[in-house]
Amino acid sequence: MDDRVTELSGAAQGPSPLPQAPLDMPRQMLERRRRPWLASLLAHLTIKSA
Amino acid sequence: MVVWDTLRVALLLMTTAWLAWGAAQAVLGLRGLAPLSMPPARPGGPSPTAILIPICNEDPWAVRARIEAMRASVADAGIAPDFVILSDTAGTQDVTREQAVFAPLFARDGRAVVYYRNRKDRHGRKAGNVEDFIRRSGRAYVHVVILDADSLMDGRTIAHLIARMDADPSLGLLQTLPVIVGAQSIFGRAMQFAASFHSAVFSRGLARLQGDTGPFWGHNAIVRVEALSRCCGLPELQGLPPFGGTILSHDYVEAALLARGGWRVEMDPRIGGSYEEGPENLLAFARRDRRWCQGNLQHMRLLAAPGLKGWSRFVFAQGIASYLVALAWGAFLVVSFLSAQTVVGPDYFPEPRQLFPVFPDDRTHEIVALAVGIVGLLLLPKLAILIEATASGRAGAHGGWARSALSVLAETLLTALIAPVMLMYQTRAVLQVLSGQDGGWPATARGEGRLTLAEAWQAASWVTLSGIAMAVLTFWMAPDLVLWLLPVALPMIAAPLLIAVTSRPGAGGIFTVPEEIAPPPVVAAYRTLAMQTTPLRAVTDDELARPV
């Protein structure tokens, strides 16, 4: 059992932790990554000249 | 003059637009919705569902009584969801106490299972608490019903929510309209009545406007685990609080993210059997409002978030405007005062050698029309709702037409008295947030009720002093405005008295709500269980207080 949490259940028949059924929860993007305008311009020019 | 007038018109436009928006929702909600029908049962029984009860230093006896009441109610409804207490309670003694109080809930006796876990890393507050559960146990369930520590839900309502989710795989979240119960004070009962009498109509209007991009109010809702896990992993915002860090008003953001992910988010005000408690005095109300203010203003950062639906952005803007409008009312008063300072007397003979005087235009009619318009925007929706309630029979459940009318009148007067005080609290909250002060997200102090005059004075003396300063300054510099200012200044000056008096139990003859006349079974069961545990409180506290 994870020692960062304390789980209790089923006191009558011994401890019964929460169901172990992990599910991923990806972090959502809410803010656009700010790209410095100069870096953005250089990237644009580099692509054009390539 | 032109500058002042332009400013005043702009501020009036902001404030009246806000009032008009509220009135429009009421008008849209006057017509009833189609009757609610129970969807067909899912073959194989309802999908596995967990009822999540996130708590943080709550009264464990009250939480236990609510769970016991709901556990009996779901058994009556023929379903067996798991109950999961997600504790973020801190402090060894509080944690030990709540575990001791909850222990009898864990016995496996054939009733719905109750789980408990206490988190030591309280990252992400309530949203983080739920997320932690999904990460550990999400795959075991198809749906989760998210409650607050003071929520109560009837078993049949939970069964209905599960059936609706099972019947429509595109439905990501279904929000109920929780009814406030258990208010005792004048303030609490007035708010309880207003929520019961007016919100039914406002929420119908909202339901018509929002379509599939409904709101999430953080509790008393069912969410599809798949949708929640895919769309609602909230990031920390860049920078420090109040605008950076943990997202405080996470529920609005989660609703927007679910809609962005293609899930339907619906609020259905027809679903009954969903309850919560409200603040019992104006100070508790203002404290909660301070948290919401910071949470809503933080949404300024998310207005341009990629991929959000237009309505979601509008909901963010609306939440932000609901607090900025307080600032606009305050600014309107200040600008009106400054404008009066720059008024020059009329020039009856602007031209040299003019025979007849030129009288200035009489603008009394325009001023009166403006005042009537603003008051109309405030009062007409309430009047329309009173007529609707009488015609539909709703007034009968609120003590009859006469008592409902009296209650609406009393609630309107009380709101008018409270409004300038709340305006001050909201203005202070907005200025605090905009100047970078983080109010945090303290645990809700539930059940606190009656305040003494000394306590009210301690918390609101600054409002009184501001009111006195405003009245004296106006009397001294713009005496013509004094009468116009009195409805604002007097409640401010009397704020501590107003706060203390309205925190007392009372107003028994009015503010009647259906749940007072006939308490719903799950609410009645909770009260009985809560009373039964009263003698046990002292015993357990004494045992815990004994030195080991």
Side-chain angles (χ1 to χ4, degrees):
Chain A
M1 193 194 291
D2 193 330
D3 61 2
R4 288 170 302 173
V5 297
T6 308
E7 295 176 0
L8 302 170
S9 189
Q13 291 117 8
S16 166
L18 281 170
Q20 295 299 303
L23 190 57
D24 190 27
M25 217 166 156
R27 293 266 162 260
Q28 297 299 308
M29 220 253 287
L30 280 169
E31 294 178 291
R32 287 194 172 88
R33 292 260 169 264
R34 290 199 191 104
R35 204 173 184 187
W37 65 271
L38 187 61
S40 179
L41 179 69
L42 284 175
H44 183 72
L45 290 174
T46 314
I47 293 163
K48 285 267 178 185
S49 59
Chain B
M1 278 306 285
V2 175
V3 175
W4 292 127
D5 282 348
T6 311
L7 254 176
R8 281 200 290 178
V9 167
L11 290 167
L12 258 184
L13 189 71
M14 269 182 77
T15 48
T16 48
W18 181 249
L19 293 179
W21 172 238
Q25 279 183 57
V27 171
L28 278 171
L30 285 173
R31 195 165 53 83
L33 298 167
L36 193 61
S37 59
M38 185 77 171
R42 176 177 170 268
S47 294
T49 301
I51 298 174
L52 307 183
I53 302 140
I55 60 169
C56 184
N57 294 91
E58 302 283 347
D59 170 12
W61 291 105
V63 173
R64 180 174 128 182
R66 287 189 185 97
I67 292 174
E68 283 182 336
M70 286 190 282
R71 193 151 68 153
S73 188
V74 293
D76 289 345
I79 53 169
D82 291 348
F83 286 81
V84 185
I85 306 169
L86 299 172
S87 167
D88 263 0
T89 298
T92 312
Q93 198 174 351
D94 282 353
V95 172
T96 311
R97 182 167 176 257
E98 74 178 20
Q99 288 176 359
V101 172
F102 292 151
L105 293 172
F106 306 136
R108 295 288 179 105
D109 51 8
R111 294 184 293 167
V113 179
V114 179
Y115 292 103
Y116 168 94
R117 80 101 171 83
N118 176 257
R119 204 166 60 129
K120 289 175 182 65
D121 170 15
R122 284 172 283 278
H123 185 79
R125 295 193 174 92
K126 184 179 169 184
N129 195 356
V130 172
E131 183 184 317
D132 178 81
F133 169 79
I134 298 293
R135 285 185 184 282
R136 288 169 193 278
S137 310
R139 206 174 286 281
Y141 300 99
V142 175
H143 313 299
V144 287
V145 174
I146 301 179
L147 300 181
D148 244 359
D150 65 356
S151 298
L152 270 172
M153 216 181 247
D154 193 281
R156 283 166 305 172
T157 302
I158 295 169
H160 176 87
L161 293 177
I162 299 171
R164 288 272 290 271
M165 296 295 278
D166 281 342
D168 182 355
S170 68
L171 190 56
L173 185 147
L174 180 56
Q175 172 72 58
T176 66
L177 175 67
V179 170
I180 300 176
V181 291
Q184 301 290 326
S185 68
I186 298 170
F187 177 86
R189 292 193 64 244
M191 296 299 118
Q192 180 178 265
F193 171 79
S196 174
F197 203 73
H198 303 311
S199 293
V201 174
F202 278 99
S203 59
R204 285 205 298 251
L206 183 64
R208 286 205 167 93
L209 281 167
Q210 75 206 354
D212 292 341
T213 320
F216 176 36
W217 295 322
H219 54 89
N220 293 48
I222 188 167
V223 195
R224 190 178 301 277
V225 172
E226 184 193 352
L228 191 70
S229 65
R230 279 193 193 169
C231 303
C232 296
L234 296 182
E236 292 273 308
L237 297 181
Q238 295 165 39
L240 295 170
F243 287 101
T246 303
I247 294 172
L248 296 183
S249 291
H250 57 89
D251 39 12
Y252 279 32
V253 180
E254 286 158 345
L257 289 173
L258 287 171
R260 181 173 82 172
W263 297 96
R264 286 181 54 239
V265 178
E266 195 182 329
M267 186 274 290
D268 192 338
R270 297 171 299 177
I271 305 169
S274 176
Y275 311 96
E276 64 170 335
E277 290 179 5
E280 277 287 84
N281 61 59
L282 201 145
L283 292 183
F285 186 86
R287 256 197 305 280
R288 187 182 71 176
D289 206 53
R290 170 66 176 84
R291 295 200 318 249
W292 287 358
C293 172
Q294 184 167 335
N296 282 17
L297 293 185
Q298 196 185 34
H299 291 162
M300 285 182 191
R301 293 274 300 272
L302 307 177
L303 279 170
L308 293 188
K309 294 206 170 179
W311 180 263
S312 301
R313 293 186 206 281
F314 176 72
V315 170
F316 284 158
Q318 191 186 304
I320 295 162
S322 68
Y323 287 96
L324 293 185
V325 86
L327 216 56
W329 274 119
F332 177 72
L333 289 176
V334 172
V335 170
S336 297
F337 174 77
L338 292 173
S339 166
Q341 298 302 298
T342 58
V343 169
V344 287
D347 183 2
Y348 296 106
F349 298 97
E351 302 294 330
R353 297 191 195 115
Q354 188 178 323
L355 187 57
F356 297 106
V358 177
F359 292 104
D361 292 337
D362 180 7
R363 301 179 71 184
T364 311
H365 290 301
E366 293 166 36
I367 294 167
V368 171
L370 182 65
V372 167
I374 291 175
V375 172
L377 281 177
L378 283 167
L379 296 186
L380 280 182
K382 290 190 176 184
L383 191 65
I385 290 171
L386 180 62
I387 294 167
E388 178 276 337
T390 308
S392 68
R394 277 201 312 125
H398 289 80
W401 180 85
R403 195 177 285 195
S404 295
L406 204 62
S407 300
V408 170
L409 184 67
E411 183 264 325
T412 306
L413 287 174
L414 187 64
T415 309
L417 280 173
I418 286 170
V421 184
M422 273 315 295
L423 178 83
M424 291 301 286
Y425 274 105
Q426 285 196 333
T427 305
R428 184 174 77 166
V430 173
L431 293 177
Q432 280 175 342
V433 175
L434 293 181
S435 63
Q437 287 182 51
D438 176 23
W441 201 269
T444 308
R446 298 185 209 281
E448 60 175 51
R450 193 167 175 165
L451 295 166
T452 64
L453 193 56
E455 287 167 332
W457 169 256
Q458 201 177 8
S461 54
W462 68 277
V463 180
T464 301
L465 296 176
S466 306
I468 292 172
M470 184 198 276
V472 169
L473 209 66
T474 311
F475 182 71
W476 181 37
M477 299 182 77
D480 290 349
L481 287 182
V482 166
L483 272 180
W484 288 93
L485 205 73
L486 281 183
V488 177
L490 283 181
M492 281 169 65
I493 294 168
L497 188 68
L498 201 59
I499 292 167
V501 168
T502 55
S503 76
R504 292 178 185 175
I510 49 172
F511 300 145
T512 309
V513 293
E515 291 74 23
E516 286 178 333
I517 296 172
V522 72
V523 176
Y526 157 65
R527 285 183 190 147
T528 307
L529 288 160
M531 277 177 66
Q532 283 170 359
T533 59
T534 306
L536 295 173
R537 286 169 181 257
V539 174
T540 307
D541 285 351
D542 282 352
E543 283 174 358
L544 288 169
R546 263 182 229 151
V548 181

